[in-house]
Each structure stands twice: as C-alpha cells, then as structure tokens.
Amino acid sequence: MVDSHDRSPVRSARSGDIAVIYASDYLNKLSGERIERECRAHLGAGCRALVVDFKNTGLVNSIGVSIMLGVIDAAERAHAPLVFSNVNSQAAQLFEILGLTLHASLADDEHAALRMLSEVNVAQPRRVPVGKHT
Amino acid sequence: MSTDNLFKAAPAKRILGRIAPENFIGRSEALSEIAALAPSTSPRRGLLVHAAPAAGASELLRQAYDKLFRQRGGASPIYFAFTRHEQTIAAAARRFLHTFLSQLVAHRRGDHSFVNAPPALRDLIDLADPSDYEWVERLVLTYERAREGSDELALVRLCFSAPVLAAARGARTVVMLDEIQNIEKLRGEVELGNEIAQVSMHGDVPFVLCGLRRGLLDELSGGNAPHRFDGFGTIHLEGLKEADARTLVERLAFTERVAINDETRDLVVQLFGGSPFYIASFMYAAHRDQLSLTSFLECQKIYVDEILGGRINRRFNSILEEITPSHTTRRALIRLLHEAATNAGGKSPVEAWRRRLELEPDELYPLMFALHVRELASFNATFMEIGTESLWRDYLRASYRLQVTVEPRALVVADTLVETLKRAPQTMARHYRRAAALNLRELLARFDAQRVAASLLHYDRFSRIYRGVETEEIEIGLDAETDLIRLPQVVHAASCASFHPPMLLVGDEERCAVAHGFDAMPYTDANEIVWLTAEIDSKLEAGRAVTEVWCDRLTQVGHSCGFKRFKLWLVAPEGFSAEASDLLSERDAFSSSRKQLELLTARLSPEAAEVGATGADAPDEFEMVIPMGSDTELIAAHTVEQIARRLDFPAEAINQIKTALIEACINAAEHSLSPDRKIYQRFRLESDKLVVTVSSRGLIVPSPTNAGTNGSDAREENNGRRGWGLKLIRTLMDEVEFERVDDGTRLRMTKYLRR
C-alpha cells in the first residue's frame, strides 16, 4: 500500500485501484470536507473504489455525517464502491439514524473493507452489497 | 409533560378554566379527587375544600369542570360560585337553578357554548335532551310559580334540590359550589348554608363544597348542631409547594414570553409564598408591560406596580370595599390596620377598634370576622392580630401613605421600591437558610420515647470516639454502645418564636424549637419535660462564647414561658470546641453536630434516612459555559461523559448523550445571532435521570418541524444534508423540550437511567 497526498491534512493510502482515507478523531464540518476533498482527488486520479476508515474517530456530528453523503454521491457518480470501516458504535448509530447505511457498506476494519471490495472486483464496477460485513 | 409534547398534543378545550391545563401546576391530586366523584360507584358523597386565600381554589373547580365536561357520557359537571355582588338568598337560588339547567343541558348536548352564555330558562326546555324534556319542563314551570310566591324557603329548596331531582330522572351531576363564605352576606330569612349542607348530605348527588378555610364550616354548620358531613372527603388547599411554584413560574414565563432566570424565579416564589393567583398576576403583568424578569430590580418594579395599581392592588381594594363600603370607614380601617401592623406583635385590642372606627358591635364584629376569614387579620376575642404576609403589609403601608397621609404617589412608589429591593436579598437569604435548616421540629416530633446511643447527644464524647471514622463503622459503634438515652415522648413541637416572639429577632424561626413531652410514663407533672433546642451558625466548632449566649437565650425562653423542667439541646454543624463542651456539661445540656443529627435522624426514621442516603431528593447539579466555535462542543461532550458515568449510565447511553449534546451545541452556535457567543450548559443528576440544559442568548429560529427527515429521503431535500440536529437529539434522548425565550433559546434534554 502506498501513502499518497502527503500535503493533505487527511492521511490516505492506495492499494491498487482502491484508496483508503483515514478520518481524524472528530468527524465534523471541517474534517468531513477534508475527507470529501481527498476522496474526490482519489477518484479523479483513477481510483475505482474507496474505503473511509474511522479507526481514529471518537466522535461524529451530524454536519460531518451530512458531508459523508456528498462522498457517497461522488463515489456513485464515479461508479466506485464505497465502504466505511472501523465505525464505532456512536458513529454507527448516527449513520443508521441519518440513513447513510442505506447507501454505503460498513466493515469491521480496513482489511475487511479491502476484502469486500476485492470480492466485488472493482474493475467491473458494481455496488457492494449494503450491510455490515462480518 | 415535555414542551415538545405540548406542541404536538391538541390543546384541551377550555370552558371555564382560565389558564391552560398544562399551566395548572401542583393540583393534580386534588383534581383527581374531584373527578373521582363522577362515577355512581364513587365511595364518597362529596368533598369539602378548605382553601387558603388566593390558593387558586376557584381555578381548581373550574379545571375540574372542564375535565369532567370532556369526559363525555359521564356525570355532568356543575360549577356555581356565590359572588360578592349578589344581594339576596333568593337571587342566588334563582341563579343557581338557571346555571344548573344550562350546564346540565350543555353537557348532555355536548355543546359548551351554553355554559358561558346561558339561554333563557324557557329555551332550555326545548334544548333539553329528549329523555330530560319532561322533568325539565315540569321543574321550570314549578319554579316560575314559586318565584311569583313569597315563600323563600320553598324557592331555595326547589332550586338547590334540582340536582337530586335530575339524578332521580337519570341525569347524574357533580355539583361544585364555590366561594361559600360569600353566603354570609346574602340577605334573607333562610339559612342557606344549612340548606346546602342538608341537600349535599342527603341527596344521591356528589357535592364539592368549597370556600375559605376560616369560613367554610361556619357557613355550613347549621347553627348549634354542626353537620358531620359523613362520607365527605376533605381537601386542604394551600399555597403551592416550592417545587410546584417554581414550575408554575417557569411555565408562565415560557407561555407569556417573559425572560427569567433561576434567581428571579426563586424570588418570585418567595415574594408570593407559592400563591398561584399572585404568581400568575405577577407574570401576566410582566407580559402585559413587555418586561423581562432577569434581575431583582425588574422583579421588584413589577411587584411595586402590582401593589400600587395592578391586579393584586385591585384584589385587596375590592376586599376592603366589600368589608367597608363607606369610604370614610375604609380610610379609618386602613389607618388602624397599618398602625396595628407596626405595633410590636401586630396586635391591637378590639376595644380600640370600636373606638377608632366608631362602629356599633353589630357592624364591627362582621367587619372583624370578614378580615379574619380572608386571613388579613386574626380575630382573637379581645384583640386583632394583623396578618404577617409581606404582600399584605406592603399594600397596607402604601395604601396608608396614599390614602391617609396623602403623600405624593411618586414618593410612595420610590420608597416602596427601594424598601422591597433592599429586602429581596434578605428574603432569598432567609429562604436559603430555611432550606438548609435541619428541621429540628420534625425531628423532635419523631422522638417517641425511643432509646438512642448517648454519644449522639454529647458532641465531646462522639468526637472522642468517632472522629475520622467512616459512617458505616460509626453505625456499628453506635449499635454496640450500652449507654443509651431514652428520648421523651414529644406531644407538641413548635418554633421557639411561637412561645417567645423576641426569639425572631435573633434567628430564623425554623432553627429554634420547643418540644413538650414526657420523659417517662405515666403522664404526670413529675415526668413532664420541655426540650429547648437551637441550631447555631458556625463554620467551625462553636466556641464557648456563642454557646453560652445560646444557652442563656434558651434558658430565658424556658423561664419566661414558665416551663417547670426543661432540657437544652444545641446543635452546631461542626460541633463544639472543648471549652464549649465543658460549658454544656456544666449546664447539663445536650449537644450535637450535623453528623450526629443525621445519624440520629436515620435511627429515628430509617426510611427518611434511606431517601437521603440515595440522594433521591438531592439532585447533583453542574454548570459550564463554553464559547461558540473551535470544536468546543467536544469539551462539553467529554464533561457530560464524566457526569453520566457518576450515575452509571451504560456506554451506549453515554454515547447518545454526548452526541445529543454536541448537536445541541452546534445548533446553538449555528442558528443564533448570539451577542455573547457563549453556550450555557447545566447538567442535573437525579436518582434516575440526567437532565441537560443548553441555552444561548440571541435570535434563533430552527423550527422544530424543519428538523430533517428520515434517512433515504434525506439526500433529496434541502441539500438533504442539514437541519438534522433536533431530529437526532429527539431520537437519542428520552425527553426533549425546546423553548424560545425573549433572550434566546433553551433546550432541555433528559435521559433516563434504565437499570
């Protein structure tokens, strides 16, 4: 896996056609927008699938979640499957309440997310089945 | 009920009620008791409501009326008040019958328009339910014949027995008769109170008989043979409890859009002694004049306006006008009342009243009795004692200066405002001290000849044995003690000031008590004893000097009251110094610290101690102010997490609370034009819940109805992405109240602990 976009405040990595974007400790407006920008940059650079990893995210607010809907839109337009990984219970509850889980999948961790995406063969774009991957 | 729910629920129709049911606070038990009379299976024949003046008794009956009216198909409610303006018994009887038939027809038709605008009696015949037509017509015709005759008793009996007749024909009613004390001034030959008592006791109809507590039974007594009112329940209606009064002030501030804060809310409660009438009058005045109540000065300005010219002024004026229609006599009465109020003890002899008012006994005694019934003074055979209520005294002082000494109004207003403003902090200080007092009277009353460890009443001994010891170990030690003291059986406990008024000058009434009892059986002179006890203010162990002062004071009370044998008991929060303890031993006085008192209370009344120990009545409260922006909501979230952990909320609930608080802070920051850019937060822990209040100043308007929509649709609307805060909060918390106040908003969120 190759780290990329070193100058961005959001850390991300690339594994083949899949980009993994690491959210910071608090998903709010600013950090949400940074993730969104990073996702769009990866999609523009030819990525065929995205993982947004929330391993370091302790708290989430509704503005941050609403921006994740923008990420979902961007991914759908690019026919790129999207998986959220390492989502803690607080964030998962918000995602559920605000309907994000209807449009993106959740994976236990980054590896599970990558496995999910490789199973659906990102070269042939199709939706990843929605739901918690176990 | 949360305000949130109020927005959603259809407002209950008001018919006679003058305030919205949700603002009718602290009377739910009394309301239920009245409503419980409606079923024919009710075990009670009726209720006697003994009301303190301005306690809201009429509103209670009106709210009960509305509640019963809404219960379609049940007994029909009837509300009738004897007014001050009615002249004769016959007129009152005629009006009762008309009211009765109008309200009965209205309820049975389900049309409340007849209640406030009754049709003519003849028209009521046509409007009556077909099943009632025959008896209503016969009753009206009989009444018209009786009205033309001269038999007052027959007319009164016909009118007031109408509910009994209706019940016999299948139309059950609950008859509520209000302001029964006003019967006294009706002219006529018939003893109306006695007639009402007879019909209420012997008919198969539940009656609610309501009046001022000092006058109700006198009116209904039936002369020398008092009625027993078998099967009647009793409601004693007094001022609201403090918690209810606070809620009432908050509700009215909310509905009347009056800005208020906790300090002024508590002051309002203290100013009016929990009287819903005065509190409501005060809050309506603030609304009418578009004034806020965020400082003591603003409160006192409205208070003074009310005393000198508002509803409160009109209430006192109308009572005095009713008692003394003559302007000259009324002026003399105000002078007399004011002068008596300024006397030591507020007393003046009846003979002085007779001379000063120049009235014959048949005029004087009704006047004094009327003042007595309205609790503006107490009539004690040979002297009158003026009521001590601050509101009444302030009114008297201002009226005296305006009407008797004819001082400029501006001067009276200014002086009254300055005086009441100076008094406000003292009023609150007294309230705080009273709330913190140990309630010695109640504790003494529970003694009941029980035996307790002697160390609980000897601070020096307790300190020697238990200083620095954990409570559980102290309990074990006390259980093991063999030196026990048998407490007296207390038969009467009251404040020291009740026995010796000068004690009021040296301390609060609640902090000094006198208990009469017996320290052994049988009840003989030899076993009779009086305990004189006082709570001393002292941050550290009380020293010898202050202890000696209090020993001397209590001893003086004992001697001046002629107590043959008495025992002193002093209580100081941190106990007594060694020198003070020596003195107490010399005086053979008992002594305790607050800790000893808590342990003693627990032993005398374990259930009360248990409540105290679990903190059920002692909410823990925290406050925090954060600036808006810069992710400061995270600080709030971390704080609330620590607080929620104290109550052992599960992790998931803590996450929900944190998220809700973050959303509340974001809402406050995003939607307000806040002048100070601050978010005020309060966290209140109670035994089973955490209440979080988030407020901010400034203009706001996130409509609760625009709070977002559910998941899948969210992406399509309004950029689909914002305005989810309140929706989320409602989902995550158990109760949510969103209030807009003049100076901003307040969001109150409650999470219950589910064990």
Side-chain angles (χ1 to χ4, degrees), chain B residues 616-689:
Chain B
D617 289 337
D620 221 346
E621 198 158 291
F622 304 83
E623 284 188 356
M624 184 165 75
V625 181
I626 58 170
M628 291 176 174
S630 306
D631 294 345
T632 52
E633 65 272 17
L634 289 177
I635 296 170
H638 292 313
T639 303
V640 82
E641 178 173 3
Q642 297 302 319
I643 293 170
R645 280 186 182 163
R646 292 170 73 107
L647 209 57
D648 292 333
F649 272 99
E652 190 187 352
I654 290 177
N655 273 338
Q656 291 171 336
I657 296 166
K658 284 166 70 179
T659 307
L661 181 58
I662 285 175
E663 294 301 322
C665 290
I666 292 172
N667 249 353
E670 274 216 321
H671 299 281
S672 72
L673 302 174
S674 170
D676 59 2
R677 304 289 301 159
K678 284 180 180 164
I679 303 171
Y680 300 84
Q681 292 160 74
R682 177 175 297 160
F683 311 100
R684 199 172 78 237
L685 278 175
E686 294 181 17
S687 59
D688 63 338
K689 65 185 173 188

Side-chain angles (χ1 to χ4, degrees), chain B residues 388-683:
Chain B
T388 55
E389 189 188 7
S390 303
L391 188 65
W392 165 233
R393 295 256 176 140
D394 287 339
Y395 165 85
L396 261 188
R397 196 177 304 112
S399 299
Y400 172 78
R401 294 180 64 184
L402 289 172
Q403 296 177 36
V404 179
T405 56
V406 200
E407 296 178 51
R409 188 176 178 85
L411 177 63
V412 177
V413 171
D415 282 352
T416 311
L417 181 57
V418 167
E419 284 308 311
T420 54
L421 194 55
K422 284 192 288 191
R423 202 174 59 202
Q426 295 162 14
T427 303
M428 293 312 296
R430 185 170 186 281
H431 162 61
Y432 298 140
R433 284 201 305 273
R434 205 170 53 206
L438 295 167
N439 207 344
L440 293 170
R441 266 169 63 184
E442 199 177 296
L443 181 62
L444 286 162
R446 279 198 239 125
F447 273 11
D448 198 25
Q450 298 184 64
R451 288 177 190 278
V452 296
S455 65
L456 288 172
L457 295 168
H458 291 99
Y459 174 74
D460 52 345
R461 194 186 304 181
F462 184 86
S463 174
R464 201 168 53 244
I465 305 172
Y466 300 116
R467 199 177 188 93
V469 177
E470 292 288 331
T471 304
E472 291 75 15
E473 284 182 57
I474 299 176
E475 296 271 13
I476 295 166
L478 291 172
D479 287 340
E481 279 189 31
T482 51
D483 184 9
L484 302 178
I485 290 178
R486 186 182 190 273
L487 299 171
Q489 183 187 29
V490 170
V491 296
H492 179 268
S495 72
C496 257
S498 316
F499 289 87
H500 193 63
M503 287 300 284
L504 273 179
L505 302 173
V506 296
D508 292 328
E509 205 171 353
E510 298 76 18
R511 294 178 156 234
C512 192
V514 174
H516 281 71
F518 294 88
D519 53 10
M521 292 302 280
Y523 299 134
T524 59
D525 286 351
N527 292 332
E528 190 181 332
I529 189 157
V530 177
W531 275 45
L532 295 160
T533 177
E535 188 186 342
I536 301 175
D537 262 337
S538 179
K539 285 183 184 170
L540 305 171
E541 285 185 337
R544 185 180 174 101
V546 70
T547 304
E548 187 161 21
V549 166
W550 275 99
C551 283
D552 290 346
R553 279 177 185 157
L554 293 184
T555 304
Q556 192 188 349
V557 171
H559 289 317
S560 65
C561 291
F563 300 148
K564 289 179 199 154
R565 196 160 67 92
F566 56 85
K567 185 86 183 170
L568 307 187
W569 180 29
L570 293 185
V571 179
E574 298 300 323
F576 298 83
S577 68
E579 297 77 20
S581 293
D582 290 343
L583 175 79
L584 289 161
S585 293
E586 288 164 22
R587 300 281 188 104
D588 193 26
F590 287 140
S591 59
S592 301
S593 64
R594 182 179 279 266
K595 178 73 183 172
Q596 285 168 280
L597 217 65
E598 284 170 5
L599 291 161
L600 180 61
T601 305
R603 272 151 199 274
L604 297 180
S605 172
E607 66 286 354
E610 203 169 302
V611 169
T614 57
D617 289 337
D620 221 346
E621 198 158 291
F622 304 83
E623 284 188 356
M624 184 165 75
V625 181
I626 58 170
M628 291 176 174
S630 306
D631 294 345
T632 52
E633 65 272 17
L634 289 177
I635 296 170
H638 292 313
T639 303
V640 82
E641 178 173 3
Q642 297 302 319
I643 293 170
R645 280 186 182 163
R646 292 170 73 107
L647 209 57
D648 292 333
F649 272 99
E652 190 187 352
I654 290 177
N655 273 338
Q656 291 171 336
I657 296 166
K658 284 166 70 179
T659 307
L661 181 58
I662 285 175
E663 294 301 322
C665 290
I666 292 172
N667 249 353
E670 274 216 321
H671 299 281
S672 72
L673 302 174
S674 170
D676 59 2
R677 304 289 301 159
K678 284 180 180 164
I679 303 171
Y680 300 84
Q681 292 160 74
R682 177 175 297 160
F683 311 100

Side-chain angles (χ1 to χ4, degrees), chain B residues 205-260:
Chain B
V205 179
F207 273 75
V208 179
L209 305 175
C210 176
L212 291 177
R213 58 189 173 188
R214 286 188 180 178
L216 180 65
L217 289 182
D218 282 336
E219 286 308 324
L220 297 172
S221 69
N224 295 328
H227 299 299
R228 290 170 52 190
F229 291 101
D230 290 333
F232 272 65
T234 303
I235 295 175
H236 293 280
L237 206 68
E238 300 185 358
L240 296 173
K241 290 177 188 160
E242 281 204 8
D244 290 331
R246 283 197 294 269
T247 306
L248 176 63
V249 175
E250 284 174 358
R251 292 273 179 156
L252 289 172
F254 175 67
T255 54
E256 301 299 316
R257 302 278 189 264
V258 175
I260 197 161

Side-chain angles (χ1 to χ4, degrees), chain B residues 115-361:
Chain B
V115 176
N116 289 308
L121 264 183
R122 281 272 176 171
D123 293 336
L124 285 169
I125 298 172
D126 296 331
L127 291 166
D129 188 89
S131 61
D132 297 329
Y133 181 88
E134 196 182 329
W135 70 263
V136 170
E137 182 186 39
R138 202 177 312 140
L139 176 62
V140 171
L141 295 177
T142 311
Y143 160 76
E144 286 175 346
R145 280 196 298 276
R147 191 181 57 186
E148 301 306 320
S150 57
D151 190 343
E152 185 187 58
L153 180 60
L155 179 71
V156 165
R157 286 186 174 167
L158 176 75
C159 293
F160 282 97
S161 64
V164 180
L165 175 71
R169 299 290 188 273
R172 181 175 169 82
T173 54
V174 176
V175 181
M176 294 176 275
L177 299 183
D178 193 12
E179 300 196 58
I180 283 181
Q181 73 279 354
N182 286 334
I183 289 176
E184 192 259 338
K185 59 183 276 294
L186 295 175
R187 293 196 311 274
E189 300 299 316
V190 175
E191 279 188 49
L192 183 55
N194 183 41
E195 292 299 323
I196 289 171
Q198 292 288 354
V199 76
S200 64
M201 284 186 301
H202 302 301
D204 190 19
V205 179
F207 273 75
V208 179
L209 305 175
C210 176
L212 291 177
R213 58 189 173 188
R214 286 188 180 178
L216 180 65
L217 289 182
D218 282 336
E219 286 308 324
L220 297 172
S221 69
N224 295 328
H227 299 299
R228 290 170 52 190
F229 291 101
D230 290 333
F232 272 65
T234 303
I235 295 175
H236 293 280
L237 206 68
E238 300 185 358
L240 296 173
K241 290 177 188 160
E242 281 204 8
D244 290 331
R246 283 197 294 269
T247 306
L248 176 63
V249 175
E250 284 174 358
R251 292 273 179 156
L252 289 172
F254 175 67
T255 54
E256 301 299 316
R257 302 278 189 264
V258 175
I260 197 161
N261 57 37
D262 290 354
E263 292 82 358
T264 52
R265 175 201 62 193
D266 292 349
L267 177 64
V268 173
V269 170
Q270 296 307 313
L271 282 175
F272 300 114
S275 157
F277 172 82
Y278 294 136
I279 289 173
S281 301
F282 181 84
M283 298 302 291
Y284 294 147
H287 168 74
R288 181 196 61 217
D289 298 339
Q290 295 186 305
L291 296 170
S292 63
L293 297 173
T294 50
S295 70
F296 282 8
L297 175 58
E298 288 164 331
C299 287
Q300 296 297 166
K301 276 182 177 170
I302 299 174
Y303 177 83
V304 172
D305 280 351
E306 277 294 294
I307 284 177
L308 279 111
R311 281 181 72 186
I312 295 174
N313 172 274
R314 288 198 295 278
R315 178 176 185 273
F316 284 128
N317 281 352
S318 88
I319 291 173
L320 291 182
E321 282 166 22
E322 180 200 341
I323 293 172
T324 52
S326 152
H327 179 70
T328 314
T329 311
R330 194 160 59 246
R331 203 156 155 260
L333 177 64
I334 287 171
R335 176 193 286 268
L336 191 55
L337 286 166
H338 171 68
E339 289 174 0
T342 51
N343 286 347
K347 293 178 186 174
S348 62
V350 169
E351 182 54 27
W353 280 59
R354 193 187 63 75
R355 275 188 279 107
R356 298 281 298 278
L357 294 176
E358 296 177 349
L359 292 175
E360 295 301 317

Side-chain angles (χ1 to χ4, degrees), chain B residues 25-82:
Chain B
I25 306 288
R27 303 296 192 211
S28 53
E29 204 174 309
L31 205 53
S32 299
E33 281 194 64
I34 296 174
L37 294 173
S40 56
T41 52
S42 167
R44 281 181 169 167
R45 301 184 68 88
L47 282 166
L48 292 169
V49 182
H50 299 263
S58 295
E59 187 60 23
L60 168 68
L61 265 54
R62 290 192 291 259
Q63 292 285 339
Y65 179 92
D66 289 2
K67 183 175 180 169
L68 289 169
F69 195 98
R70 287 192 292 269
Q71 292 169 8
R72 305 289 312 131
S76 301
I78 307 294
Y79 172 82
F80 178 82
F82 292 95

Side-chain angles (χ1 to χ4, degrees), chain A residues 25-26 28-29 58-63 65-67 69-70 72-73 76 88-90 93-94 96-100 102-103, chain B residues 631 633-634 637-638 652 655-656 658-659 662-663 666 670 709-715 720-722 724-725 727-728 731-732:
Chain A
D25 57 347
Y26 180 33
N28 60 0
K29 183 171 185 283
L59 284 167
V60 167
N61 74 28
S62 63
I63 302 175
V65 174
S66 73
I67 293 168
L69 282 169
I72 291 172
D73 283 346
E76 279 187 0
N88 71 18
S89 60
Q90 185 252 351
Q93 189 173 18
L94 249 67
E96 180 75 34
I97 294 169
L98 299 179
L100 264 71
L102 297 172
H103 307 286
Chain B
D631 294 345
E633 65 272 17
L634 289 177
H638 292 313
E652 190 187 352
N655 273 338
Q656 291 171 336
K658 284 166 70 179
T659 307
I662 285 175
E663 294 301 322
I666 292 172
E670 274 216 321
T709 54
N710 215 334
S712 58
D713 300 330
R715 297 173 65 199
R721 314 277 154 88
R722 299 300 293 274
W724 283 338
K727 170 190 153 55
L728 264 180
T731 308
L732 298 169

